[in-house]
Amino acid sequence: MLAYLVIREGSKWTDVFRLIPGRTVTVGRAPTNEIVIKDERCSRYHAEFFMTRGEWILRDLESRNGTIIGGQQIHGDYTLTPGEVVRIAHTHLAFVHDLSKAFSDGSLPRGGEEEDETVMGKLEEESIFETRETAMITHRRGQTRFLEPQDEEVQAVPKIGRAATKLCRLAFDLAKQVDLASVGKMALDGLFEATHVDAGAVLILPREQALTPDAGNLQVLASRTDVQPSYHRLSAFLAETVLREGEAVLARNVQDDSVLGSRDSKGEILTTSVLCAPIRQDQRVVGLIHLYSTNAARVPDPDDLEFTLAVAENVALALKNLTRQQELAENLSATQSEIVQLRKRLGAESEIVGSSGVVGKLQQEIARAAPSRATVLIRGESGVGKELVARAVHFASPRKKGPFVCLNCAALTETLLESELFGHERGAFTGATERKIGKFESADVGTLMLDEIGEMSPAIQAKFLRVLEGHPFERVGGSQQIKVDVRVIAATNRDLEKAVEGGVFRRDLYFRLRVVEIFVPPLRRRGDDVLELAGYFLDKFNAETGRRIRGFSADALAQMKKYRWPGNIRELKNVIERAVVLARTDVIEQEDLTLTSLATAGETGDVPITSQEYQPLTLEELERRHILDTLNSTGWNKSRAASILAIERSTLDRKIRRYNLQPTDPVADVS
């Protein structure tokens, strides 16, 4: 059943709205309503129309000023009858089934004859859209011809239409320019094409002169002349008139030297016609367009004045956009420089060096974890760069403008760690002479990284867990409740699962920290990155020490690739720094590398390299032994083993079934 609301606001018909069965139509002041009434007497959500059991119902949504039908305020649901008029504030909504009868009923509010004809035309158009079943495409065109140069033979087009087309094309061209001079030149080209002038210029005021315009400060942005040797600058009288009044001027047959200040080659005053239009930004005149003609056959007319004024508005917009772009570029450059300086002062970059597949996977994990507010647990051996990963997560997150605060939990006693985390009041303990703000408060709206989280004492763990759950905390020795918005990133090189089983780490805290887990692989698993990192540190220490080490010898490169790096990236950094300082030539030799014979940090997921005689075996058997060793080393913790092996948990489960691995299955002797 077709139904319509014919809407009238005040004394004018404004719209027709079709009611569709099964769809609720809301009316109110809020912009989210289907019918928006911009009237303070209308509630944000005033009323709604809907169909039930074949009848259209109007329901008042407990509005402040009520919904009126027939002079009576309705309450709750009201069944509508065709022809009834609903009044909300100063708006009338006529409910009808047949659009052709919308204005035949004298009970409906009516406007003037002209208004009713306008609305009837709209209703007829609406009716056409409701009854039309087929449509036909009559024209196709990929690009408008109004933005292309056209010949003047199309005389059938009115002059104002041709001017509008040129103005539209010129506006697009101005928007494409990349500097102020190009804007001025493009504007003059368009003006010379569309108006009866043969010389002119675009003049602007310096940015600092925009508030107090002075004709003497006008600078020529671009000029052009088609008949004279050079452009003649406008007189101070004309410039001051336009700057002061802010209106465009057209003057014909000007022979006053004080007005134009131009003479021909014989020194005689030229008879000219002058156009001058202001370039305005935010109600201020920031420049002028000055045009003139010395040809009696080309005399500007009022239409030329209108066109020049329109071009001046477009020039003003183009100049404003270019100025804004320049300001943004300057601000961006200053911000980037500031960020570089801040990172240098922090002593750490948030960029991870390396191009191996392992680093690529690590960067993907960082990208997935960064946008959320979830707590992140970073695991890995000492020296792999866990703090660098934490910084990368912070700088890639929405909190990047906030502080990044780092605290090593293993470097402090229990009392000092509590004070560092939560702060303390003056006199809270011996030596507390002043109030101290804790790391949580310092990291508000930012990120707090807690390194070596596994070293935190059980007492601190309990208080730390409450803060993680969103509860307020108190400074040591204080009573004021403090609540902060901090994202926590924890890092550890310990096996937290064993710590939980041993009762030294809280189980609930472990699960609260391990919302998102990122495993940072040791350097020995990043063989392809060793040489790239070595080159990075070589450049770094060359710059710091002033030495000019050109690179590494072939033996040194081979040794670095073969070495297991038990100290990971921290060890590599220190080895390169020592080599740069002590190298006797401009090339680092193998003997310049001080490497240790220490074993790796107990990650049995690595295939051990021993001095035993080589024993041939298949890749399948090697994989079986490797997976079994890794599972046994982690106590058959499949998630931990999968992280070490850098494979998915489901992949590990399939390989366990394939090789029929059991916790008690010994490693087969394949010798």
Side-chain angles (χ1 to χ4, degrees), residues 178-226:
V178 297
D179 57 71
L180 301 181
S182 299
V183 169
K185 183 179 182 302
M186 181 63 66
L188 287 176
D189 291 343
L191 287 164
F192 274 55
E193 178 185 352
T195 61
H196 301 86
V197 297
D198 52 35
V202 176
L203 305 99
I204 60 171
L205 290 166
R207 189 182 305 178
E208 61 274 9
Q209 296 290 331
L211 293 177
T212 56
D214 184 355
N217 294 323
L218 285 169
Q219 300 174 355
V220 177
L221 187 62
S223 64
R224 173 177 167 178
T225 178
D226 290 347

Side-chain angles (χ1 to χ4, degrees), residues 318 399 412 490:
R399 297 172 175 263
L412 302 169

Side-chain angles (χ1 to χ4, degrees), residues 167-302:
L167 183 63
C168 177
R169 189 169 68 247
L170 180 59
F172 276 86
D173 290 338
L174 289 173
K176 297 176 184 177
Q177 304 311 306
V178 297
D179 57 71
L180 301 181
S182 299
V183 169
K185 183 179 182 302
M186 181 63 66
L188 287 176
D189 291 343
L191 287 164
F192 274 55
E193 178 185 352
T195 61
H196 301 86
V197 297
D198 52 35
V202 176
L203 305 99
I204 60 171
L205 290 166
R207 189 182 305 178
E208 61 274 9
Q209 296 290 331
L211 293 177
T212 56
D214 184 355
N217 294 323
L218 285 169
Q219 300 174 355
V220 177
L221 187 62
S223 64
R224 173 177 167 178
T225 178
D226 290 347
V227 295
Q228 301 178 45
S230 62
Y231 159 74
H232 291 278
R233 190 182 179 95
L234 79 168
S235 68
F237 171 79
L238 181 59
E240 290 172 358
T241 299
V242 177
L243 288 175
R244 181 179 64 253
E245 299 179 0
E247 295 181 348
V249 171
L250 169 60
R252 295 177 180 171
N253 300 322
V254 177
Q255 291 185 318
D256 186 356
D257 187 42
S258 65
V259 175
L260 184 63
S262 58
R263 296 172 179 267
D264 60 15
S265 58
K266 298 180 180 180
E268 297 179 357
I269 300 175
L270 294 172
T271 301
T272 62
S273 296
V274 183
L275 281 170
C276 191
I279 300 173
R280 293 177 290 232
Q281 290 180 0
D282 301 326
Q283 307 302 320
R284 297 196 307 270
V285 178
V286 298
L288 300 175
I289 292 181
H290 173 227
L291 305 170
Y292 61 89
S293 172
T294 58
N295 187 349
R298 291 177 56 85
V299 179
D301 56 28

Side-chain angles (χ1 to χ4, degrees), residues 355-374:
S355 55
S356 65
V358 176
V359 172
K361 182 179 179 181
L362 177 62
Q363 290 174 334
Q364 291 176 1
E365 293 179 356
I366 292 171
R368 288 196 297 267
S372 72
R373 297 170 54 91

Side-chain angles (χ1 to χ4, degrees), residues 519-587:
F519 176 73
V520 185
L523 185 56
R524 57 185 172 277
R525 288 188 176 276
R526 299 171 52 187
D528 295 338
D529 294 330
V530 170
L531 301 186
E532 186 175 348
L533 284 164
Y536 171 80
F537 289 128
L538 176 62
D539 293 339
K540 174 182 174 65
F541 294 121
N542 267 339
E544 290 183 2
T545 61
R547 297 206 62 181
R548 297 182 180 179
I549 305 297
R550 294 188 292 109
F552 303 89
S553 67
D555 291 341
L557 293 174
Q559 181 67 16
M560 285 191 292
K561 289 200 66 174
K562 180 181 177 182
Y563 185 60
R564 303 289 290 162
W565 298 108
N568 293 295
I569 299 175
R570 182 183 293 120
E571 180 185 5
L572 173 61
K573 175 183 176 182
N574 294 336
V575 166
I576 300 301
E577 182 178 12
R578 182 183 185 279
V580 169
V581 173
L582 301 180
R584 289 163 292 183
T585 64
D586 60 353
V587 175

